[in-house]
Amino acid sequence: MPALMDIVVGDLHFALRVWQAVDEYKTPAVLLHATGKTARDWDVIASGLCADRTVYAVDLRGHGASDWPGTYSLQLFAQDVIGILDQLDIGTVDLGGHSLGGLVACRVAAEPQGHVRKLVLEDIGFPHPRPPGLPDRPAGDLPFDWHMVEQVRPEIDDPDPGWADIVDRITAPTLLIGGGAASPVPQEHVAELADRLADAQLTTIAAGHLVHEAVPDEYLRTLIAFLSE
């Protein structure tokens, strides 16, 4: 079972799940979840990955046990993660993100602090405008703040023109894992992101958008092979 950690960045508390490696000789991994998910989403992957490296999974602001401040944006998510990495003080990390977490990871990797050794992006493409649309709110209590969806979804539907510059500033070796034809993410946009990155490789695991959930063993093999290169 992972240990639970609370980190304060500014005036916000962030919850992390931590799998401590027995032999800590490899770069730690930090994992960021998708919209509406929590750090628990990474339990299976982290349990396999922690054999030889410590793994940290973060509840982003507005999710799970982290604070729900009511104000959200991709840049705020990225600033939070940078603050968490500063507080952890563990040197460079291998940073992975799925969907929303992948977009946040890109922004973190683009910053000059040099926190990221390698970057793993699960089923995200280069951002392009798309028809706006807010999904219906699920009934009942949610493990995330619905205001987060209301504020961040428009930012994804109508992306910042500065994304080209953000991607240009990413120098870390990057693995992109596309979900294939069953994913709602246009796979040509995943390929475009790979082409734009300075040092990237693209692999497709035809499992849809939730690759790490649908085929965890294959995902983990692919992840470990890349991080061990």
Side-chain angles (χ1 to χ4, degrees), residues 26 52-53 117-118 223-229:
K26 290 189 177 178
D52 56 8
R53 73 183 71 234
R117 184 188 75 110
K118 288 190 174 184
L223 179 61
I224 292 173
F226 173 69
L227 297 183
S228 299
E229 289 175 352

Side-chain angles (χ1 to χ4, degrees), residues 119 121 167 170-177 190-203 226 229:
L119 182 64
L121 306 174
V167 172
I170 298 173
T171 58
T174 304
L175 171 66
L176 293 94
I177 301 175
V190 181
E192 179 186 354
L193 179 56
D195 287 341
R196 284 175 175 265
L197 286 162
D199 182 359
Q201 55 183 277
L202 169 62
T203 187
F226 173 69
E229 289 175 352

Side-chain angles (χ1 to χ4, degrees), residues 3-18 56-59 63-67 83-84 87-88:
L4 304 181
M5 178 183 290
D6 182 78
I7 288 182
V8 178
V9 177
D11 58 355
L12 296 182
H13 288 257
F14 292 92
L16 283 70
R17 294 168 71 79
V18 183
Y56 301 83
V58 179
D59 277 346
H63 293 79
S66 289
D67 283 348
I84 289 167
Q87 294 284 352
L88 287 173

Side-chain angles (χ1 to χ4, degrees), residues 135-216:
D136 293 333
R137 185 193 185 283
D141 293 335
L142 301 175
F144 61 95
D145 186 352
W146 185 252
H147 296 302
M148 176 274 305
V149 178
E150 295 172 335
Q151 293 174 38
V152 174
R153 179 64 180 265
E155 188 179 359
I156 295 173
D157 290 342
D158 185 18
D160 185 335
W163 267 105
D165 176 63
I166 291 169
V167 172
D168 284 347
R169 289 188 278 118
I170 298 173
T171 58
T174 304
L175 171 66
L176 293 94
I177 301 175
S183 169
V185 175
Q187 296 299 288
E188 63 269 22
H189 294 172
V190 181
E192 179 186 354
L193 179 56
D195 287 341
R196 284 175 175 265
L197 286 162
D199 182 359
Q201 55 183 277
L202 169 62
T203 187
T204 297
I205 299 177
H209 188 52
L210 304 175
V211 182
H212 71 278
E213 180 180 305
V215 284

Side-chain angles (χ1 to χ4, degrees), residues 33-179:
H33 59 74
T35 302
K37 299 289 188 178
T38 70
R40 289 180 178 273
D41 189 52
W42 291 110
D43 280 3
V44 173
I45 299 302
S47 295
L49 193 57
C50 72
D52 56 8
R53 73 183 71 234
T54 298
V55 182
Y56 301 83
V58 179
D59 277 346
L60 297 172
R61 70 163 62 199
H63 293 79
S66 289
D67 283 348
W68 297 15
T71 304
Y72 306 97
S73 71
L74 293 176
Q75 185 57 33
L76 287 173
F77 287 135
Q79 290 172 358
D80 295 339
V81 173
I82 291 169
I84 289 167
L85 295 175
D86 286 339
Q87 294 284 352
L88 287 173
D89 194 24
I90 51 177
T92 58
V93 303
D94 292 332
L95 183 63
H98 171 227
S99 198
L100 170 66
L103 295 174
V104 175
C106 284
R107 285 182 171 265
V108 174
E111 292 303 313
Q113 289 91 340
H115 283 304
V116 181
R117 184 188 75 110
K118 288 190 174 184
L119 182 64
V120 179
L121 306 174
E122 181 184 346
D123 208 42
I124 70 163
F126 186 81
H128 286 274
R130 64 187 187 184
L134 191 67
D136 293 333
R137 185 193 185 283
D141 293 335
L142 301 175
F144 61 95
D145 186 352
W146 185 252
H147 296 302
M148 176 274 305
V149 178
E150 295 172 335
Q151 293 174 38
V152 174
R153 179 64 180 265
E155 188 179 359
I156 295 173
D157 290 342
D158 185 18
D160 185 335
W163 267 105
D165 176 63
I166 291 169
V167 172
D168 284 347
R169 289 188 278 118
I170 298 173
T171 58
T174 304
L175 171 66
L176 293 94
I177 301 175

